[in-house]
Amino acid sequence: MRHDLISLQLFQLVAQIGSIAGAATRQNMVASAVSKRISDLEAQIGTPLLYRKPRGVEVTVAGQRLLAHVQSLSGLMEQIDVDMKRYADGRQGTIRVAANSSATTQFLPEDLAEFVTANPELRIELAELTSAVILDAVRNGRCDIGIYSGLTDAVGVESFLYRRDTLVVVTHATHRLREADSVSLRDLLDEDFVALDNTTSIQSYVRAAAGRLGAELKVRVTVQSFDGVRRMVQAKLGIAILPYGAVEPYMHDGDLKMVQLAEPWAKRDLLIAVRKLEALPRHAQLLLENLIGTWS
């Protein structure tokens, strides 16, 4: 049996006021329309809900039982409104974030920790992906917010500056370049490299830069993570190019040295992509505002 919510609410109001005319006045309706609604409800249920008297109404036993259900339903509807408002206000929900290794390693841990502390009812699903995959995920709605390298061409998204990082050369502490103030990519073409996967923005850009010099990097080992690169450099398997923030915290070990990379593309932007700002859920907008604010 399907019940009309408006008729149930009108019945509740009539029962509370004790008058069809009074309920009609409260709802800016004519009394006959309210009376018809109640009559239709009684016909649907199959039993009288009100005793109609010369001056007002009295609720029947069946009506009292229905009234208890309607009051419970009203409380549930109010709770629905409260719960949904929390999502509409951005206080509750899940935010899907995709970020490249540079952002995940250097900046996001502290930024997200601050955000979730201030918004304890929000949940963040974080995926670490390459920049090209991140942009595809944003365009296709698989994530709300994507953080990618500014070295990657982006179309079909709206982008905002998140942070800036610097690429550096990482060597073993005994390497011949350890005392150099800075080096260019041309200075490194004869070196063995420990490299990230070619799908990463860093590696593809460095490879392309070498190509513009008419050369090809001598990649000795390819690994999937910054941690893997550092460990291979520590094992003297080659040098590497990594973001400053992925190397600096590990300098105290004494096995690594950092050398400035004297290339204009060594300083790069990390950008935040969304498919469409105006269509972004409110809770995702809150995170976007927070991430942009950490830089500005």
Side-chain angles (χ1 to χ4, degrees):
M1 182 183 297
R2 291 188 175 183
H3 295 291
D4 178 16
L5 184 59
I6 295 176
S7 293
L8 291 173
Q9 291 173 330
L10 282 173
F11 165 71
Q12 181 183 26
L13 185 59
V14 169
Q16 290 171 346
I17 294 176
S19 166
I20 290 176
T25 300
R26 180 81 62 87
Q27 293 298 108
N28 294 316
M29 297 174 65
V30 296
S32 59
V34 175
S35 181
K36 173 114 178 20
R37 285 264 189 181
I38 302 301
S39 295
D40 290 345
L41 183 59
E42 290 174 320
Q44 182 183 19
I45 292 174
T47 188
L49 301 173
L50 300 172
Y51 295 121
R52 284 141 175 99
K53 298 184 175 183
R55 303 186 63 169
V57 297
E58 181 181 339
V59 182
T60 67
V61 174
Q64 290 173 355
R65 184 62 177 164
L66 177 61
L67 182 59
H69 287 303
V70 175
Q71 288 170 337
S72 297
L73 180 60
S74 296
L76 178 59
M77 295 301 294
E78 290 176 4
Q79 188 59 50
I80 289 174
D81 289 341
V82 170
D83 287 347
M84 292 303 98
K85 191 173 188 301
R86 298 183 72 82
Y87 285 95
D89 292 345
R91 290 177 290 166
Q92 193 165 349
T94 299
I95 309 169
R96 300 166 302 164
V97 180
N100 66 0
S101 297
S102 295
T104 302
T105 301
Q106 299 180 83
F107 308 116
L108 271 181
E110 290 77 15
D111 291 347
L112 292 183
E114 177 182 339
F115 180 77
V116 298
T117 299
N119 301 274
E121 294 185 79
L122 292 178
R123 180 170 175 266
I124 295 175
E125 292 181 355
L126 176 62
E128 185 174 327
L129 304 170
T130 60
S131 292
V133 176
I134 289 167
L135 289 168
D136 185 64
V138 172
R139 283 190 292 263
N140 290 284
R142 296 195 302 274
C143 69
D144 302 305
I145 291 174
I147 303 177
Y148 69 101
S149 166
L151 301 178
T152 307
D153 290 333
V155 294
V157 299
E158 296 182 30
S159 296
F160 307 85
L161 178 64
Y162 172 45
R163 294 293 184 94
R164 290 193 170 101
D165 73 350
T166 301
L167 299 179
V168 297
V169 178
V170 190
T171 75
H172 189 270
T174 61
H175 193 275
R176 68 175 184 86
L177 295 174
R178 66 187 183 277
E179 301 297 337
D181 293 328
S182 65
V183 292
S184 68
L185 184 60
R186 187 180 294 277
D187 298 328
L188 307 175
L189 294 178
D190 291 331
E191 298 289 338
D192 289 330
F193 270 83
V194 178
L196 290 165
D197 187 273
N198 283 333
T199 60
T200 64
S201 59
I202 292 177
Q203 200 57 40
S204 61
Y205 209 81
V206 172
R207 189 177 69 251
R212 290 193 293 271
L213 297 174
E216 186 174 335
L217 296 181
K218 296 168 60 179
V219 177
R220 190 174 189 183
V221 182
T222 300
V223 294
Q224 300 295 318
S225 67
F226 290 162
D227 182 60
V229 171
R230 288 190 304 267
R231 295 184 65 182
M232 294 300 171
V233 172
Q234 287 175 319
K236 301 182 182 181
L237 290 172
I239 65 171
I241 294 176
L242 289 177
Y244 173 88
V247 180
E248 192 277 333
Y250 301 90
M251 294 302 295
H252 65 275
D253 293 339
D255 291 335
L256 299 176
K257 288 290 185 179
M258 280 194 304
V259 181
Q260 179 182 346
L261 181 59
E263 298 287 351
W265 45 264
K267 294 188 181 298
R268 61 177 189 155
D269 293 338
L270 291 177
L271 303 176
I272 297 177
V274 300
R275 184 165 57 173
K276 204 169 191 179
L277 180 59
E278 61 187 25
L280 200 63
R282 179 55 189 156
H283 52 285
Q285 289 184 17
L286 289 176
L287 177 58
L288 175 62
E289 291 164 5
N290 183 270
L291 293 177
I292 295 174
T294 58
W295 171 252
S296 58

